[in-house]
Every structure is written in C-alpha cells, then in structure tokens.
Amino acid sequence: MRQEKIKVMVVDDSALIRHLLTEIINAQPDMICVGAAPDPLAARQMIKDLQPDVLTLDIEMPKMDGLDFLEKIMRLRPMPVLMISTLTEKGSEKALKALELGAVDFVSKPQVNVREKFAEYEEEIALKIRMAAKVTFSTLPLKAESKSVISFSKEHNNQNKLIILGASTGGTEAIKTFLMLMPKDCPGILIVQHMPAAFTKSFANRLDSLCEIHVKEAEDGEKILTGHAYIAPGGFQLSLKKIPEGYKCIVRNDPPVNRHCPSVDVLFHSAAKQVAANAVGIIMTGMGKDGAEGMLEMRKAGAYNIAQDEDTCVVYGMPREAVAVGAAHEILPLQDIAKRVLECILRRPKEAV
C-alpha cells in the first residue's frame, strides 16, 4: 500500500529561505511542501486550507513574531512545528522559548552564504521533519513542577554519588521537568543534551533561573559539587574523572561519537569507569541510539539505570535502544523519574546489586 507523503508548510519572511526549504522538502521521496507563507498572518488561512502535517516556522518575522504565532497555534490547533533559528545568543534564547511553548525541535539558519550553507542542513532538516511528523500531542513535555519531591538529611553523604543524564529531541523540557524536582542537597548531576554550541549556555542559564539547584555549562577541570548540574557545552565532549575529594569535569574538543558532540555515550562510558555503582543513569527522549551502549556499561559496572517511557517521550528513540540492549533497570514516566532517582540515591534497590 502506497504511503501518503508528509505534508509540510513553510513560514518564513525570506523569499530565498522559502525557496530553499521548498526545494529540500520536495527533493525527499516521502514529503511534499504544500505551501509557503511570508508571515504568520498569511499562514493562518493557508494552514486551515492545506492541513499540513508539519510546519516549519521562522522566529523573527514581520506582522507577528514567530513565538507569538507558535503560542496561538499550540492553543488553537496543536501541530508539530520545527523552528528556524540563527545560531546566536539571542536566537538561542528564542529557540529555547519555542521548545518551551511546544515546538518539537529547531534547525539552524545560516546568516552568510545562505544558498551554499543551507545545502549542508538538508539531511538534518529532512530527518527532523520525519521525526516531527510522528509526534502526537499526548507526548509533548509535561509542565514542570516547581518543588522538590525529596530532601536529604545532613547524615547523607552525596559527595561520591552522581546522577548521569542523557537526552536529545524533546530533552530540553524533559530535563527542566526533572531538574525542577531536585533538592538543593542532591548529588552532582552531569547532563548531555544534543545541542549546538550557541545554545547550551542559554539553556544552562535558563534552567539555573528556574531550579533550586545551581545549573551551569560544564568547564574543564572543575570539581563536581552537590546541588549542582553541569550541562555539556555544545561542540565539546563531556566526561568525568574521580579525584581524592570526589569528581571533576573533563571537557575536551574531541571528535563526534555517534555523530554527536557532545555524545551521551562518551559521558556514560566515563561514568561506568569512574563512578560505577555510585551512579544513577537516566536516558530521556531523543532520536537515535546515542547512550545505549554507554548505559549498558554503566549497568555492568553496578550503576542503577532508568529510561523514560514511550508515552511521555517526544521521540522514543534513545530510551528504546537502551531498553533493547538491556541497559535499563526500569522504564518510568517522566513525572516519576526524579522521585525514583532520589530513592535510589538514599536506598539502592535490590535490582542494582
């Protein structure tokens, strides 16, 4: 039976970008660009008439800002939206806000040599449109709670324990949900979220303003402290090393692993060797298989591992792969992961032995 093509609509004020996106979309065997609008006002009626499966949306446009339009879409006609953003600090903050509002993901918009550079994004754009088309709105991220679920008493020594987390598509909101439930005295947390270099600092700053714990971009050589979360910088690999007084971050300009830099597998393999049974590993929503093999090594080393369940994932790719290789002890909904992780820190489950 012949499968219907993914219907994509483009909204961008640049005629060149509209043309290039249309070319990229129509060059794919499984998708078609059904329309292209220069601004949100023109797009509103086109969406009603054309009923696209996926929308690509620019952030900065005339007549109505892309974020305002996205908010209206998600309230009135929820649909998968892929944002277009420039790799600047200002652009990254707006892209993160778009993810918070319900956009599935974002792609980069080059600022110079647009026609030549845009061709480099063809594979990424096509892949993310395919992924977006599979998203249902029962799987969009839950609103984060603002209060910790468990606190530690003074006699609990968390210096030698760590929480190790990996995520990709859909992960920004999932990580926020998790971290907002972490108490100030929780063990140190190391995080790899697949993101470009210009985005990770803004992401860390945003989380730091919302959470009880301190959240920052990881720096090479810094000691990992309780009540702190460290985000892997985009374009760098994050690992860790055991030192006499605990652990420290290792940030290196190393090649991609599983096509990612930072890579979840790099962090997880490091945790298996350096932290072993004192680690709790978490793998969240994301496309691909990055983290599965590293999480399996963590389990073999004695760590206790949790995978996010399919119903609460935006994309159940990375957790599925981890479960498939036997790396996860438990599969839990996003809203239950924080409490379970803290229970594991306080009293290791029998399954971890």
Side-chain angles (χ1 to χ4, degrees):
M1 187 175 180
R2 188 174 178 180
Q3 191 173 5
E4 289 188 14
K5 291 187 176 185
I6 301 165
K7 296 187 294 182
V8 187
M9 184 174 153
V10 174
V11 185
D12 199 295
D13 63 325
S14 164
L16 176 59
I17 297 295
R18 292 198 303 274
H19 173 72
L20 293 172
L21 280 172
T22 299
E23 280 192 337
I24 288 172
I25 292 163
N26 287 337
Q28 310 305 313
D30 57 343
M31 60 186 73
I32 183 171
C33 182
V34 294
D39 59 69
L41 297 185
R44 287 189 300 187
Q45 188 59 46
M46 292 177 70
I47 290 173
K48 292 178 183 178
D49 294 340
L50 300 170
Q51 295 291 307
D53 300 311
V54 177
L55 192 72
T56 72
L57 180 62
D58 191 6
I59 289 181
E60 295 182 354
M61 289 182 292
K63 299 185 180 180
M64 184 186 291
D65 182 75
L67 293 179
D68 293 335
F69 187 51
L70 175 65
E71 190 170 16
K72 293 182 190 308
I73 290 172
M74 290 304 167
R75 187 173 70 250
L76 302 173
R77 190 199 182 280
M79 63 183 299
V81 177
L82 195 59
M83 300 303 294
I84 305 293
S85 177
T86 51
L87 288 176
T88 64
E89 186 172 350
K90 182 180 178 182
S92 68
E93 289 170 358
K94 290 192 172 186
L96 290 170
K97 179 63 177 176
L99 295 175
E100 190 174 302
L101 290 171
V104 175
D105 209 339
F106 54 81
V107 294
S108 310
K109 180 194 283 188
Q111 293 178 287
V112 295
N113 300 324
V114 176
R115 184 178 290 277
E116 294 81 6
K117 290 284 186 182
F118 220 79
E120 299 174 10
Y121 295 101
E122 179 172 353
E123 184 180 356
E124 179 186 2
I125 291 167
L127 192 63
K128 290 187 175 183
I129 288 173
R130 290 186 188 100
M131 175 270 301
K134 297 177 182 178
V135 172
T136 59
F137 284 82
S138 62
T139 64
L140 284 178
L142 305 168
K143 294 296 181 184
E145 299 291 338
S146 58
K147 190 175 181 182
S148 308
V149 288
I150 290 178
S151 289
F152 293 94
S153 57
K154 289 184 179 178
E155 62 266 22
H156 287 107
N157 180 7
N158 298 321
Q159 292 291 332
N160 291 321
K161 298 176 181 178
L162 291 181
I163 299 166
I164 312 294
L165 192 160
S168 187
T169 308
T172 56
E173 288 302 292
I175 290 168
K176 182 176 79 172
T177 297
F178 175 77
L179 291 185
M180 287 181 71
L181 293 170
M182 288 291 108
K184 293 179 180 178
D185 50 359
C186 72
I189 305 170
L190 272 68
I191 299 169
V192 165
Q193 162 69 43
H194 295 158
M195 285 184 127
F199 284 70
T200 45
K201 187 173 180 60
S202 295
F203 180 47
N205 291 342
R206 171 70 173 150
L207 292 173
D208 190 54
S209 71
L210 296 171
C211 300
E212 287 188 27
I213 64 172
H214 182 46
V215 185
K216 67 185 298 293
E217 200 175 45
E219 298 178 55
D220 185 46
E222 69 179 320
K223 185 184 176 185
I224 299 169
L225 304 173
T226 57
H228 285 62
Y230 303 85
I231 307 289
F236 291 83
Q237 298 292 7
L238 174 64
S239 59
L240 62 108
K241 184 176 181 179
K242 188 169 179 58
I243 55 176
E245 60 272 28
Y247 305 94
K248 68 176 181 178
C249 293
I250 306 295
V251 178
R252 294 283 187 265
N253 186 17
D254 289 336
V257 173
N258 299 323
R259 300 175 65 185
H260 294 291
C261 191
S263 162
V264 180
D265 261 334
V266 169
L267 177 59
F268 281 3
H269 279 296
S270 173
K273 292 177 181 177
Q274 301 291 323
V275 193
N278 280 322
V280 175
I282 310 161
I283 194 154
M284 289 183 170
T285 173
M287 184 167 51
K289 64 178 184 178
D290 189 28
E293 292 300 325
M295 178 169 264
L296 181 59
E297 289 304 308
M298 287 181 66
R299 179 167 185 166
K300 290 176 180 176
Y304 194 81
N305 296 330
I306 297 168
Q308 185 179 348
D309 75 350
E310 184 171 7
D311 287 345
T312 59
C313 280
V314 173
V315 181
Y316 189 59
M318 286 163 48
R320 176 190 284 116
E321 294 293 334
V323 170
V325 298
H329 292 85
E330 286 187 88
I331 306 166
L332 294 175
L334 174 60
Q335 65 270 22
D336 296 340
I337 293 176
K339 183 178 180 181
R340 185 56 170 152
V341 166
L342 295 174
E343 288 172 349
C344 291
I345 297 295
L346 288 169
R347 185 181 65 254
R348 291 299 302 274
K350 290 180 181 178
E351 298 97 320
V353 179

